[in-house]
Amino acid sequence: MIRIKGFVSLAYFIFYLVLKVGAAAADGTNGTAEPAHFSVRVGAVLDSNSSMGAAEDLCISMAHSDFYALHPDYRTRIDLLRKYAGDELDVASAVLELIKNEEVHSILGPQTWTEDKFIVELGAKACVPFISFTHRGHCPSYTQSPYFIRIAPDDSSQANALASLCQGFEWHTAIFLYEDTDRGSQFLSKLNKAFQEADIWLEHVVSFSTSAEDRQIMKELKKLRAMETRVFVVHMNVVLGSRLFRLAKRVRMMSEGYAWLITDRLGNFMNSIDSAVIDSMEGVLGLRPHVPKSKNLDNFRTRWEKNMLMMKPETTGRELNVYCLWAYDTVWALAMAVEKIGPVNPGFLESKNSKKGNDSFNVRVSQFGRELLREFQNIIFEGLTGNFHLVHGQLNPSSLEIFNVHETGDRTIGYWTPHGGITPKLPLTGKLSYSTSVKELKSIIWPGDSVKQPQGFAIRRLNVGVPKKDGFTEFVYIPKDPQTNQNKFTGFSIDVFRSVLEKLNFRIDIEFIPFTNESGLSNGTYNDLLHHIGKDFDIVVGDTTILADRAKYVDFTLPYSESGIVVVVKDEKKKDMWIFVKPFRWDLWLTIISTCTFIGIVLRILEHRANKDSDSVKPHKEQPGLLFWFPIAALAFPEKNMVVNRWSRFVLVVWLFMAYIIMQSYTANLSAMFTVDQLDFRFSNDYNIGCQKGSFVKDFLIDRLHVSESKIKEYSSIDEYQDAMTKGSKNGGIDAIFDEIPYMKLFLDRYDSDYKIVGPTYRTDGFGFAFPLESPLVVNFSRAILAVTEDGNMTALELKNFGPKYSSYNQSDSINKRSQGLTAFNFGGLFIIIASALMFALFCSETSVGRRLTDMVTQYSHRCFFFLSFRGSESRVKSLDDPDVSGDSSTEDEQDSNDSDQLNLDDSSRPDMDNESDERNVNTLVGDGQENQTDQQSNFMREVQLSEQKNIDVSASQISS
């Protein structure tokens, strides 16, 4: 037996040696030894108690084998050293052992990061990079701790995506449910910041312990069901989240009208959730990192499932998630970084602190860690999860998938990107701005198997408070129905509210409740009514003015009426038979009369040398009287022979210019006096002012306009306003009404001819519906009011309640003032011009210097004109002597015609020119022509001289007569 056992042992030993030699021959080349590789120790801390840890472990192993199978010629190899830890203490111990005893140059993981500060400080001391593909919690900044690298993107992008979805679906309030851990609290702070920037309010926050019992969760869910908000954001792990949705369905919170959003804390594990839980989550919207589809990913998924089934046959092979893919890409990136560094001494140095005894952990410093960190952060490649690129020690934020849970699983309906917002597909093409629109997303199945989008709040019966009014019932009127003895609610404000309800895209039940006391009378002012919102009423509908003071305790919709406060007074048009003289003030009339007299005197001076035989309208002896009223007569008798002197004609033109401007100004101002008859009303201690009872206007008059309270009287109806205005302040009435535009338009429609609006318009925001503070209904009702206003329904409602006379109020009418008479100062520039022109005419006509200057200017102008005419004649003479190239020449008739034209052009002397100057002018020009022209030209000049002499003799004879 001993020999047999020895023989068997020897056989086993020989068989073992054969296997080892065969394995060596298979690995080597032709039986040669395997080439040596440079190894770098890398640690990995994994959770052995979870399926997540097992899945990541398998991905790391597959990444290591796949990389070096694809790169067999690389000089370096990563030597993976694994440590398994189940709790926080084991994690810290495993990390310390890997650095201190195994002397690894980098650590992957761990999956649980509760001792962030310890691990970060330990990595910084040993210069060992920690690379996490699951951590998303709070950690020091990259500049403070460069040895801590996170592959998973920050949760801020996910919080911003949730805010964009709420904006797109127009949800303005939400409730946050989260797991009571450090990571959950940190995500809450980021979500709260994103929601504040998007103007979304977190109405309630509920935290659940990981060990919470079902009855505790059920109790909280029942409290949430009683609240108005119907939008819930869930941030929990897969175990706690699955329990939450099963219980939510039990309390009927997964029915129509509810909206549920989940983060990738649950979304990354949808393929590993039980089918019963998936059924209870139907209609949920979720977010998760987007992983682009590729052949490599499909091949890896197939191989991973086979390997996972061999390792754990009890699993279904559906637990592959984005964390496993990040672990795979991380190993590839680390292997690339190691190869870039090349074979170096990967040893450790003694820490300076350890020699001094200051380092409690007594760790050494890696010589390889600093270079490994630098090269690892510069790695860029296309991995299984897409583009692998680190920015400041963190994976560059990628796009997120928006998916919808249905009965068979989940379906991607769109995407969210950090720069483009919500988009129906990737990659973005032609999109330049951030979008929160959800219209282009695929169809969504909501909770309760509904296709109707939830409104985000409970649709329940609303108690609508309505003010009780004794007057101005066109806005709100609450009569009794004689048959049912029930209150009826009518009026413009009620009709607008009903039209707004029809424009809402959801159904809402209402009950009108009058704001009355036990006697059926009004229970207080409008301010009292608004203070009952949130107690007795959910909303107030009526002619309620939007004010800043009221907005402190209620929220208003957009206004549905005109805004502003105006003053109405009696239209007292005084009869005035002398109104025709009021367009000009007395000083302007006096200036006009003085100017006319002065013009007459100037004309008399200019015409005093006129010949008695002149063909003027009046004989010489009657001209002095005519000249004084000549400026007026010239407008009626504009014959040019009324004056002889050419400077008199110049004065006439200037006067007509002045008269035209004055007449136009007179006509315009007189028309304004007939058409604009406004009273420039000012508050006085002698006036009593009326306002509407129960309105804010009384406080406005006292606080803003500082009107004495004793001078303010309150009225309730149009008839009371009329009686008080008829009496006036002296008889116990009022002199002015101070009220809002809609009320005063009704008052003026009834008494249009007796009253008018005066003075400025005091701005208010008009009438609106009031809600409790931060009510989500405000936005929906405001949009509905805009829809009612824009489609023309508002005009129909005004005609129904106010009648056809009710028209739009023109604010520009309220600021018109009484037209004032024009003064002499307004026309000062014109009179200065007139006076300057008259003085210039007198200077040129009556002074020797003026006449000499006038003669010089006249002679110079004649000479220039005659020279230009003579140059034309010279060219024609040359054409007679020199025929053109075609052989044609001018005929005698053409020459005679040209000569006559030249004579006519030269006949431009004036009748009042001196004979001697004209004769000298002609002789000089003729002499110049004789010196420079031919004999034919000399004959032509003599004919011109004779013709000019005849014209001068005729003019002289007229002047002497």
Side-chain angles (χ1 to χ4, degrees), residues 239-474:
V239 177
L240 183 60
S242 299
R243 294 171 55 204
L244 174 72
F245 280 104
R246 283 201 303 265
L247 297 174
K249 186 175 183 179
R250 189 183 302 177
V251 296
R252 299 187 302 277
M253 292 181 67
M254 297 301 298
S255 57
E256 183 177 356
Y258 287 86
W260 292 83
L261 301 174
I262 61 174
T263 64
D264 65 352
R265 195 94 160 85
L266 260 172
N268 287 332
F269 300 94
M270 292 302 299
N271 56 359
S272 61
I273 296 179
D274 185 75
S275 59
V277 179
I278 291 293
D279 182 66
S280 64
M281 293 178 63
E282 185 176 7
V284 172
L285 291 183
L287 296 173
R288 61 189 171 204
H290 170 60
V291 178
K293 295 180 180 180
S294 64
K295 292 183 179 180
N296 292 336
L297 179 60
D298 294 337
N299 295 334
F300 174 77
R301 189 185 301 274
T302 302
R303 292 188 296 115
W304 183 87
E305 289 177 354
K306 291 181 180 180
N307 294 335
M308 197 68 183
L309 192 61
M310 293 175 61
M311 291 176 57
K312 291 187 176 183
E314 69 277 6
T315 61
T316 60
R318 301 189 325 176
E319 298 177 359
L320 181 65
N321 52 58
V322 70
Y323 296 110
C324 299
L325 300 179
W326 280 332
Y328 185 93
D329 289 344
T330 300
V331 173
W332 274 57
L334 197 59
M336 293 179 186
V338 169
E339 180 64 22
K340 281 190 174 183
I341 297 174
V344 295
N345 180 20
F348 275 69
L349 297 175
E350 291 291 337
S351 174
K352 296 180 180 179
N353 293 334
S354 63
K355 294 180 180 180
K356 297 178 181 179
N358 297 329
D359 191 352
S360 58
F361 300 110
N362 193 24
V363 296
R364 294 189 293 174
V365 178
S366 170
Q367 302 182 68
F368 194 70
R370 186 174 287 105
E371 286 188 78
L372 181 61
L373 176 65
R374 183 181 66 252
E375 294 297 338
F376 182 76
Q377 295 195 83
N378 293 331
I379 294 297
I380 300 176
F381 72 102
E382 197 69 22
L384 294 181
T385 57
N387 186 30
F388 189 93
H389 179 209
L390 297 177
V391 178
H392 299 303
Q394 185 172 321
L395 190 66
N396 194 31
S398 60
S399 57
L400 298 175
E401 284 185 11
I402 305 172
F403 64 90
N404 182 213
V405 181
H406 52 85
E407 57 184 1
T408 59
D410 59 79
R411 179 174 63 99
T412 301
I413 60 173
Y415 303 90
W416 179 90
T417 62
H419 302 291
I422 299 174
T423 180
K425 57 184 178 180
L426 293 175
L428 298 177
T429 55
K431 193 169 185 179
L432 301 178
S433 59
Y434 190 90
S435 173
T436 58
S437 174
V438 296
K439 296 180 180 179
E440 297 182 357
L441 296 178
K442 294 180 181 179
S443 59
I444 302 174
I445 301 298
W446 297 100
D449 199 22
S450 173
V451 295
K452 186 177 180 181
Q453 174 190 323
Q455 296 303 312
F457 47 86
I459 305 302
R460 60 184 184 183
R461 192 177 188 87
L462 295 181
N463 294 329
V464 181
V466 181
K468 175 70 174 179
K469 295 178 67 69
D470 296 328
F472 293 100
T473 54
E474 293 86 352

